[in-house]
Each structure stands twice: as C-alpha cells, then as structure tokens.
Amino acid sequence: MNNDIPHRSWQVLLLGGPSGVGKTSVSYRLAHHFGIGITEVDDFQVILERMTTPAEQPVLHYWRTHPEAGNQPAEEIVKQTIAVGQVMAPALEAVIANHIESRAPVVLEGDFILPMLATAFSDSSLRVQVRTLFLYEDNEEQFCHNFLQREPEHGLQKKRAQVSWLYGQWLKQEAQRAGALTIAARPWDNLFERILTALK
C-alpha cells in the first residue's frame, strides 16, 4: 500500500461544466494526484451513438440528423445539450455503480455530466462514495478568450461562447439545487488547490 497517495473518502469523482471552462486540464491533474484512472464522458456519447440508430436514440443522433441545428439560437442548443445529458444519465449511473462495486476509483469528466447524477443513488452508502462538482465561469467573454487560446484557427467563437455560458449558468443553478459542489474556474492558478479543499 502506497502511503504517499492522498486519502479520499469517495470512489467516483464527477467533474462537470460547460465546454471551455477548464475541466479537462484540472481533471487529469486530480487523477494523477489521487493515483486513479480518468475517463472523458464525451467518449460514452460517441460509443452510445455508434451502438444505436437515429430511430432508437433520436436525441443522441440529433446533431448528425439535423446539420442545420448549429444555426439555432443559443438557448435551443443548450436545451439539446441538456437532453443529451438526460439520455446518457442511466448509462453513466451504471458506470458509476460498477466502479463503486468493483472499488475501482475514477474521475469522470465531461460536458454531459448533469447535476441529477448527484442525487441518482437513493442508498446513502452508495451516494457518499460519489462526489460531484461543477466548474463555472460567470463571464461570457472569458469563454471567447478560452476558445481562442485553445483553438486559434477557429477565430472568435462568440456563438459557442454564449452556449457555454448559458449552459454553465444552468448547470450552476441546478447543481446548487442538487447539493453538488460548484467552484469558480478562476483564478486558474489555485483552482486545483480549491478543488482539493472542497473535496475534504
């Protein structure tokens, strides 16, 4: 047994938030810190889409079957993103339960993690083994800056930034209602330390 690995009371850490908020970089650092695995939930969306047909799962296939959907108002795109998360929730619950049962700790991070997962397990002995936190950014312009830094070849993605900001505000509100942790993404330089403190 490695005594250098920090203590944790949970088996599964769910890290949610909108695209561009900084989930991925901090989630890999957290997984390394605790000496556990990490999985990006977006991969599950790809798997579920590949394993189903548009008739079976129209929500999961929506963006491919409606190529014009990107032109919709930001509010409608957010609604569709939430719908995808709702469809994926039962699959994620199964993955979470499997990690708890097998005692294989993991960090699950991604855009499609919804606050409803914080209350998915009625058995309190299971619920305490899952920690759920959401990163948020209150400044819409910051998303433009983040996307420009990450993907300069795409220019200023104002529509995408608006979608992320709106989705992030919804996640923050719902997470607080569900009793999940919410943490401001900035300042970046102490985000990792703030998350560790919140998880104690």
Side-chain angles (χ1 to χ4, degrees), residues 94-198:
V95 170
I96 293 166
N98 182 60
H99 277 274
I100 293 173
E101 182 180 354
S102 61
R103 301 192 64 79
V106 69
V107 175
L108 298 176
E109 74 89 6
D111 300 358
F112 298 117
I113 293 174
L114 298 185
M116 61 188 290
L117 288 171
T119 58
F121 298 94
S122 56
D123 186 332
S124 60
S125 65
L126 295 180
R127 187 177 296 182
V128 296
Q129 296 187 63
V130 181
R131 297 302 302 273
T132 310
L133 70 88
F134 291 85
L135 299 184
Y136 67 88
E137 169 57 62
D138 284 331
N139 186 342
E140 185 177 336
E141 288 301 313
Q142 185 64 41
F143 282 105
C144 286
H145 176 73
N146 293 353
F147 287 135
L148 190 60
Q149 270 199 323
R150 192 170 78 183
E151 304 162 2
E153 69 277 10
H154 294 307
L156 202 60
Q157 301 181 67
K158 288 200 166 188
K159 174 78 168 286
R160 187 179 177 193
Q162 184 184 18
V163 170
S164 280
W165 180 76
L166 287 170
Y167 183 45
Q169 293 300 298
W170 181 85
L171 285 173
K172 179 183 176 184
Q173 182 181 43
E174 292 300 309
Q176 290 172 343
R177 185 176 299 159
L181 295 169
T182 56
I183 299 178
R186 290 182 299 144
W188 304 112
D189 58 359
N190 68 357
L191 174 59
F192 175 71
E193 288 75 16
R194 288 187 287 118
I195 290 176
L196 291 183
T197 299

Side-chain angles (χ1 to χ4, degrees), residues 7-136:
H7 171 75
R8 54 176 170 71
S9 60
W10 43 268
Q11 291 291 341
V12 178
L13 173 62
L14 303 176
L15 181 59
S19 178
V21 80
K23 298 183 303 299
T24 301
S25 57
V26 77
S27 65
Y28 276 85
R29 191 173 174 190
L30 287 165
H32 178 75
H33 175 77
F34 288 108
I36 63 178
I38 182 168
T39 299
E40 296 184 31
V41 168
D42 289 4
D43 289 343
F44 293 133
Q45 189 271 332
V46 172
I47 293 168
L48 290 169
E49 185 179 330
R50 178 63 64 91
M51 297 296 292
T52 61
T53 66
E56 292 168 333
Q57 291 289 352
V59 171
L60 292 179
H61 292 263
Y62 182 81
W63 298 110
R64 292 192 189 279
T65 57
H66 297 77
E68 76 290 349
N71 298 322
Q72 293 178 349
E75 292 81 2
E76 292 302 313
I77 296 175
V78 170
K79 287 181 183 177
Q80 189 60 35
T81 303
I82 295 168
V84 172
Q86 290 170 335
V87 168
M88 289 180 60
L92 290 177
E93 287 176 25
V95 170
I96 293 166
N98 182 60
H99 277 274
I100 293 173
E101 182 180 354
S102 61
R103 301 192 64 79
V106 69
V107 175
L108 298 176
E109 74 89 6
D111 300 358
F112 298 117
I113 293 174
L114 298 185
M116 61 188 290
L117 288 171
T119 58
F121 298 94
S122 56
D123 186 332
S124 60
S125 65
L126 295 180
R127 187 177 296 182
V128 296
Q129 296 187 63
V130 181
R131 297 302 302 273
T132 310
L133 70 88
F134 291 85
L135 299 184
Y136 67 88

